[in-house]
Amino acid sequence: MPTFSRVSHISFSARDAEASAQWWAALLELTEIDRVAGEGWRAILLIHPSSRTIIEFQQHDANRGEAFDPRRTGFELDEWLARFEELGVDHSPIADREYGAVLTFKDPDGIQFEMFFKADHP
C-alpha cells in the first residue's frame, strides 16, 4: 500500500477567493498553480513549493459575502455523530445550547475539538 507522507491538498471556502489567495500567498510564500470553476463555484489553487502542499480557496456563488461564523459550520452534526460511532471516536452527545448545537470529540492524543451548528443563523 502506498504511504501517506504529507498533506497533499487543503480546501477552504472563502467569501472572496481572490483576496484570500493573495493574503495566504504573501504570508506563506505560496505560488498560484491553477484556477478552476464548476457550476456555482470557482477556485484558486496555490502550492507551497518546499512541501508541495496545495491549498485551494473556493468561492461559491451562493455566498452572500457573510463573514465566517464558527456557530454556522455548514455540515450536519447527526452525520458526524454517526461517523464518530462507526469509527469508535470518543465524542459527546449532541447538546442543544442557547447558542446552537454542539458536538465535541477527541483525537487520539485526547485533544478536544468542537463542531457547532446554529440552524436559524441568517
Side-chain angles (χ1 to χ4, degrees):
M1 178 163 78
T3 61
F4 182 79
S5 61
R6 64 177 70 106
V7 173
S8 65
H9 183 132
I10 302 169
S11 182
F12 294 99
S13 180
R15 65 180 161 172
D16 183 336
E18 191 72 43
S20 292
Q22 288 178 10
W23 190 88
W24 283 100
L27 180 69
L28 300 176
E29 298 181 340
L30 305 172
T31 303
E32 184 175 323
I33 58 169
D34 201 4
R35 289 179 180 243
V36 295
E39 189 174 324
W41 65 273
R42 59 193 172 283
I44 301 169
L45 285 84
L46 308 174
I47 192 165
H48 183 256
S50 62
S51 70
R52 309 299 293 166
T53 300
I54 296 171
I55 302 177
E56 174 185 35
F57 295 92
Q58 286 190 7
Q59 183 173 339
H60 299 271
D61 295 345
N63 181 285
R64 297 179 304 257
E66 63 269 12
F68 172 76
D69 184 335
R71 297 168 298 178
R72 184 181 34 83
T73 58
F75 50 76
E76 294 294 330
L77 296 182
D78 292 330
E79 293 175 19
W80 281 105
L81 180 68
R83 179 72 173 156
F84 293 160
E85 290 174 352
E86 174 187 332
L87 297 175
V89 172
D90 184 17
H91 64 83
S92 71
I94 296 172
D96 290 316
R97 305 280 188 241
E98 64 279 359
Y99 52 82
V102 61
L103 172 62
T104 63
F105 64 101
K106 293 182 181 178
D107 75 358
D109 291 321
I111 299 170
Q112 182 170 300
F113 294 86
E114 298 177 338
M115 295 179 171
F116 291 91
F117 182 76
K118 186 169 172 63
D120 63 349
H121 192 278

